[in-house]
Amino acid sequence: MKTFWLDRDHERYERLVASAPNAFAYSLGDIAPVTFACTAWTFATPPILDPGYVRWHRRVLSATCGRNPFDGGLTARVELVSPLPAELTTTRAWWRDRGWRGWPELFGQFVQPTDRDLSRYPHVRTTLLIEAPLPLEGLPETPDADAAPQDVVAAAARAVTVLVRDLSELVGPVVQQLDTDRAVT
């Protein structure tokens, strides 16, 4: 399942990375590619780049990468729109005729309810949080501190490509199961 993918307009991302060399400076020359890859990911996703160079399935609310403080590895954190748990769907007694609403959709995308919606109806929106290690294999070496700007841009683009692949492999089966089981309420 296509859960994460890259936008065709890679030049927008490359221009952004090239215009912000200081954002990558602290990770240049690092023996591990984690900090550099996480910075590259941050620049490829909203709110830094909106719309993002990295695009994702409508169930994905957010996707971030970070360095694990325990071992220095790469950890992904992905928040997904999820159906109500079974315990809330077996009976609607808890509704008490209050008109509960779930995730609003706008043009097929899950969105937060507006303030107006929240002033009129109670909402119950469930999410699923995935936190998992990602492999370092395939990530480019972190460029040296004196690397040419085009080398930093190329390494950042490669890192994002690898992260998109790895996150799709990790999260895709979960999203597919959520889409298969039942509609979101």
Side-chain angles (χ1 to χ4, degrees):
M1 160 160 280
K2 193 172 187 180
T3 308
F4 293 90
W5 62 94
L6 297 175
D7 187 67
R8 287 186 214 115
D9 187 7
H10 61 89
E11 292 172 1
R12 216 170 32 100
Y13 175 68
E14 292 170 353
R15 281 192 305 273
L16 179 63
V17 170
S19 72
N22 291 338
F24 290 86
Y26 65 95
S27 65
L28 297 179
D30 192 340
I31 192 168
V34 175
T35 302
F36 182 84
C38 291
T39 303
W41 181 265
T42 300
F43 270 69
T45 58
I48 301 290
L49 189 60
D50 197 4
Y53 174 50
V54 173
R55 301 298 179 95
W56 47 60
H57 188 277
R58 69 190 202 105
R59 283 193 183 276
V60 178
L61 294 174
S62 66
T64 59
C65 296
R67 180 184 284 252
N68 186 312
F70 175 72
D71 65 0
L74 180 58
T75 301
R77 186 176 201 274
V78 181
E79 187 177 21
L80 302 173
V81 168
S82 177
L84 290 173
E87 293 81 4
L88 292 179
T89 60
T90 56
T91 177
R92 299 224 181 223
W94 61 275
W95 281 51
R96 296 190 183 145
D97 295 328
R98 294 182 186 262
W100 286 92
R101 305 287 170 96
W103 280 100
E105 291 185 52
L106 182 63
F107 301 112
Q109 294 295 314
F110 295 105
V111 295
Q112 302 293 334
T114 65
D115 290 336
R116 181 179 181 189
D117 292 336
L118 291 172
S119 73
R120 295 177 177 197
Y121 305 102
H123 285 73
V124 59
R125 298 170 315 219
T126 53
T127 59
L128 183 64
L129 178 61
I130 297 173
E131 293 179 308
L134 291 177
L136 301 182
E137 293 82 30
L139 288 174
E141 289 184 19
T142 302
D144 292 327
D146 59 351
Q150 65 267 23
D151 294 338
V152 174
V153 169
R158 174 70 183 142
V160 169
T161 299
V162 170
L163 291 173
V164 162
R165 178 198 68 207
D166 291 346
L167 281 167
S168 285
E169 288 177 8
L170 176 72
V171 178
V174 176
V175 170
Q176 185 172 12
Q177 186 66 46
L178 289 172
D179 278 350
T180 301
D181 278 352
R182 56 186 175 213
V184 173
T185 56

